[in-house]
Amino acid sequence: MVVLSVFTGCGGKDRTNSDDIPEAMIRTHGDSLALDARFTGDFKHFLSVTDSLAAAGELSMIRAEGYRGVAFFQLGDIENSVACLRRVLAIENPPARDFWEYIHAGTNLVIILNSQRNYDTAMRTALRLIDMLKQVDNPLRAREMQTLYLCLGDTQMMLERHADAVKSYNEAYQWVLNTPNDPTSRPLAASFETLENIAVTHLNHQMDGAGVWVDRMDSLRAVYEKQPKADPKEVKIFRALVALHRSQVCQMRGQTADAARYYAHFAASDYGKSIEGRINGCEYLVAAHRYAEAADNYTELDRFISEWGYDYDLETIGNNLLPKLRSNFYAGRKDSALQVALQIAEVYDTALVRQKRSESAQLAAIYDTQGKERQIAEQRAQNRFVSAVSIAISFMALLALVFAFYVYRQWRITQHRNRILARQITEAVGYKDQIRELKAAPAKEESLPSAGNPHLLSEAGEVELFNSLRDLIENEQLFLQADFGRQTLIDRTGLSKERIGAAFSQGSDSLSLPAYIRELRLDYAVRMMNSQPDITVEQVSQASGFTSADTFTRNFRAKYGMTPTTYKQTIG
């Protein structure tokens, strides 16, 4: 019994000893190589390097799977990202030297699960990691704890457990206060973002505590500004965000004059003039009935959604498209309001499927937390209301009939809109072809420097160099190569990547090389679909130089507002 007690007290040889946990993340040679690959921005390369280092034994399983999870997430492969991070969390007692990488991978998993509305698993994972960190007396835990409590509060808020969410947010704030700063001041900046997320949640739910969180944001902003390494651009953004949220708090309290004054400060800032700032400011403008200004800002919404990689789910429809519709309608812009209504009708089906999956996850969470007893009670209650349910079913059948008629009308409207849009796409590509032919003639007369003469190219001006590179790309159809990029032009011309970048940014009205190649590929795809009606979307994507049909579809929809499949069906 004594021996058993000692063994149990020690917890076994595999249990993590909190005394051995390092006070900083240990970076190995393998970590340095992997992170160098990560910060190039090429996440396929980052994934390949991680696999190679793991196979060579330079990375532990925890570090390798954590890096893979980040790489897959950045590549948009959420399923594989979650799978990698789950494999990390499947380890019961991580080695002490990998403890912080283990916790960081778990925190990333919680954030992804929250974004996927898998609230039940997110809550369980967050609570498990919090329990582990409570047993560790280490300065590194504060930053992870504030993020975990923030995610836990967001989960509870989405499950309508507001009282629990407030407690979690207050715990996050206590860890913000206990987070040690360092010479880079990044911990302070991250803590500000934590407080801003909590303030936004309170504002979205019209909660009285929103003003308190904005005050806390402002206090931390003042501390951050005094730091020697404070980023001046970040300081301006933080000031703008405080002004915006103060305007929302004042508007919520009926203090309209103060709200307008704070919003004016926000709108005059650099951040307030950016596309992100203009979209974020719309919530105040709608609340203040400044519909025309909101409608003007919402013209950038589709671009904002595309650039930030968001999807049009029910939440996005409710938070952005419906306010955009209301702004245009009350501003008297009926045609614009109709276009927004058609857009809502087009994305509603896909958003509804996502919402159903979210509801299933929420039901699972409710089932697990409330237990079998409540389920039995609900069944008994349902038996007492059989007649009421019958009436409800009849009413729902009537609503379904009305909804079916509405869907049919929307389908007819969408079909008409698609025909108009497809014709406009075809005409636009035809006009661009004519413009290219008109530009090509004077370019030949001016005898532009040849791409095969590096000496002449290096001495050419930015506009001349861009025209030469444009002719090389278009005449030899280099853009149809799936691996085409700046390196291809470097190999063909002998120019430096900086020289080529300057030619496209200064010689072409700030057009980047990737955007230019994407335009050429999309134009080529449109011409191909018109000239070869029987060709498949997969064949079009390969022939046009896109790496996959998904990439082609995503870029085609972002530019033209419809999928290639819909375009083919419409022109057919």
Side-chain angles (χ1 to χ4, degrees):
M1 290 179 62
V2 171
V3 171
L4 182 61
S5 300
V6 171
F7 184 80
T8 305
C10 293
K13 65 179 181 178
D14 291 332
R15 183 171 296 279
T16 302
N17 190 340
S18 61
D19 294 334
D20 296 334
I21 295 174
E23 294 191 359
M25 287 188 176
I26 300 175
R27 295 302 184 199
T28 65
H29 177 66
D31 290 320
S32 299
L33 295 176
L35 292 175
D36 285 344
R38 173 183 179 178
F39 293 126
T40 62
D42 185 348
F43 289 97
K44 287 185 177 179
H45 174 61
F46 174 42
L47 186 61
S48 175
V49 170
T50 298
D51 290 340
S52 299
L53 291 171
E58 292 286 341
L59 289 176
S60 66
M61 179 269 190
I62 289 176
R63 295 171 189 249
E65 293 291 3
Y67 290 152
R68 290 187 185 110
V70 172
F72 280 123
F73 179 79
Q74 293 294 339
L75 292 170
D77 190 346
I78 304 301
E79 183 176 350
N80 272 324
S81 176
V82 170
C84 291
L85 298 176
R86 282 184 187 276
R87 284 194 285 271
V88 175
L89 270 292
I91 300 174
E92 289 293 332
N93 300 302
R97 67 193 310 273
D98 288 341
F99 180 80
W100 293 115
E101 285 74 14
Y102 176 90
I103 294 294
H104 193 61
T107 304
N108 285 338
L109 177 60
V110 172
I111 293 171
I112 295 173
L113 291 173
N114 256 353
S115 69
Q116 296 296 301
R117 296 184 175 83
N118 191 348
Y119 300 123
D120 174 42
T121 310
M123 182 183 297
R124 291 175 183 273
T125 306
L127 289 172
R128 175 188 165 191
L129 294 172
I130 288 171
D131 287 341
M132 291 182 67
L133 286 171
K134 284 181 178 178
Q135 303 173 26
V136 177
D137 185 12
N138 193 301
L140 279 182
R141 69 173 176 168
R143 189 185 303 185
E144 300 289 349
M145 287 290 258
Q146 64 168 280
T147 304
L148 288 169
Y149 271 114
L150 167 64
C151 293
L152 183 60
D154 290 344
T155 299
Q156 292 162 336
M157 189 68 73
M158 295 305 297
L159 295 175
E160 301 297 329
R161 301 178 182 178
H162 293 175
D164 292 338
V166 169
K167 292 179 182 178
S168 297
Y169 288 145
N170 284 326
E171 283 286 346
Y173 180 60
Q174 294 304 316
W175 287 107
V176 165
L177 297 178
N178 291 322
T179 298
N181 197 23
D182 62 31
T184 67
S185 297
R186 298 317 308 156
L188 277 179
S191 296
F192 179 90
E193 293 173 359
T194 296
L195 298 183
E196 203 254 344
N197 284 330
I198 298 174
V200 169
T201 300
H202 279 70
L203 287 166
N204 289 341
H205 287 80
Q206 298 289 300
M207 298 175 68
D208 294 335
V212 173
W213 289 102
V214 175
D215 290 338
R216 290 171 176 174
M217 283 175 56
D218 201 15
S219 298
L220 193 60
R221 185 268 315 159
V223 173
Y224 177 73
E225 286 188 18
K226 296 177 182 178
Q227 303 304 308
K229 295 288 187 178
D231 185 347
K233 183 178 179 181
E234 219 165 29
V235 168
K236 293 180 180 179
I237 293 176
F238 290 172
R239 288 179 180 173
L241 288 171
V242 169
L244 172 62
H245 297 326
R246 285 203 185 282
S247 70
Q248 293 171 306
V249 170
C250 290
Q251 186 67 32
M252 187 171 64
R253 294 173 177 173
Q255 300 166 348
T256 55
D258 290 336
R261 177 167 53 84
Y262 281 121
Y263 181 78
H265 288 308
F266 166 76
S269 67
D270 292 339
Y271 176 76
K273 296 174 183 177
S274 69
I275 179 173
E276 180 184 0
R278 292 176 64 193
I279 297 300
N280 287 343
C282 285
E283 186 172 348
Y284 160 77
L285 293 174
V286 172
H289 298 171
R290 295 163 64 170
Y291 298 115
E293 295 175 66
D296 290 340
N297 289 351
Y298 273 131
T299 57
E300 301 283 357
L301 178 60
D302 289 338
R303 178 181 154 205
F304 173 74
I305 294 291
S306 174
E307 289 182 357
W308 282 77
Y310 295 144
D311 290 318
Y312 276 116
D313 53 18
L314 291 183
E315 184 177 354
T316 308
I317 292 173
N319 292 340
N320 298 111
L321 285 182
L322 289 179
K324 181 179 179 180
L325 173 64
R326 188 159 47 250
S327 299
N328 280 282
F329 180 80
Y330 287 117
R333 304 174 185 180
K334 302 299 174 63
D335 291 339
S336 297
L338 178 59
Q339 290 298 319
V340 179
L342 292 174
Q343 185 180 13
I344 292 173
E346 185 176 356
V347 303
Y348 176 77
D349 288 342
T350 303
L352 186 59
V353 172
R354 293 196 185 101
Q355 183 64 18
K356 290 298 182 183
R357 292 174 181 169
S358 172
E359 289 173 356
S360 298
Q362 293 182 32
L363 288 174
I366 294 172
Y367 177 83
D368 286 340
T369 55
Q370 295 178 342
K372 294 287 186 180
E373 293 79 8
R374 178 162 182 176
Q375 184 185 30
I376 295 172
E378 288 175 347
Q379 290 174 349
R380 290 175 179 172
Q382 288 174 358
N383 291 334
R384 290 194 296 268
F385 291 99
V386 171
S387 59
V389 170
S390 300
I391 296 173
I393 291 175
S394 301
F395 181 70
M396 290 299 295
L398 178 61
L399 284 181
L401 182 62
V402 174
F403 183 72
F405 177 72
Y406 168 79
V407 170
Y408 174 73
R409 280 188 56 84
Q410 293 301 320
W411 177 79
R412 291 293 301 273
I413 293 171
T414 302
Q415 290 293 99
H416 178 65
R417 172 185 174 275
N418 286 344
R419 285 194 293 271
I420 296 175
L421 186 56
R423 185 171 65 250
Q424 292 174 343
I425 293 171
T426 305
E427 291 174 354
V429 172
Y431 292 149
K432 284 165 49 172
D433 289 340
Q434 294 176 13
I435 292 173
R436 287 193 183 103
E437 292 175 2
L438 291 174
K439 286 183 177 180
K444 293 178 180 178
E445 295 175 3
E446 294 169 5
S447 64
L448 296 173
S450 168
N453 193 331
H455 178 70
L456 292 179
L457 283 176
S458 62
E459 294 181 353
E462 304 299 347
V463 176
E464 290 180 328
L465 180 55
F466 167 74
N467 290 333
S468 297
L469 294 176
R470 180 198 64 194
D471 291 344
L472 173 63
I473 294 170
E474 293 185 15
N475 293 341
E476 298 189 19
Q477 293 189 321
L478 299 178
F479 60 89
L480 297 182
Q481 301 173 11
D483 59 349
F484 176 79
R486 188 175 297 181
Q487 187 60 45
T488 306
L489 292 180
I490 293 173
D491 296 339
R492 292 293 300 269
T493 63
L495 297 170
S496 67
K497 65 178 182 179
E498 291 80 11
R499 188 81 170 91
I500 293 173
F504 276 86
S505 62
Q506 300 176 23
S508 62
D509 298 327
S510 300
L511 179 67
S512 67
L513 177 58
Y516 174 64
I517 298 305
R518 187 163 54 248
E519 288 285 326
L520 291 177
R521 288 172 175 170
L522 289 174
D523 292 348
Y524 186 88
V526 170
R527 290 193 295 269
M528 179 174 287
M529 285 188 285
N530 275 276
S531 61
Q532 303 178 47
D534 296 332
I535 194 170
T536 66
V537 171
E538 179 73 29
Q539 292 171 328
V540 173
S541 68
Q542 292 177 355
S544 303
F546 289 95
T547 55
S548 68
D550 290 341
T551 302
F552 170 50
T553 299
R554 184 170 61 253
N555 283 280
F556 194 94
R557 179 172 6 192
K559 178 170 178 59
Y560 296 122
M562 66 193 311
T563 65
T565 302
T566 303
Y567 176 75
K568 274 176 53 60
Q569 293 171 347
T570 303
I571 63 176

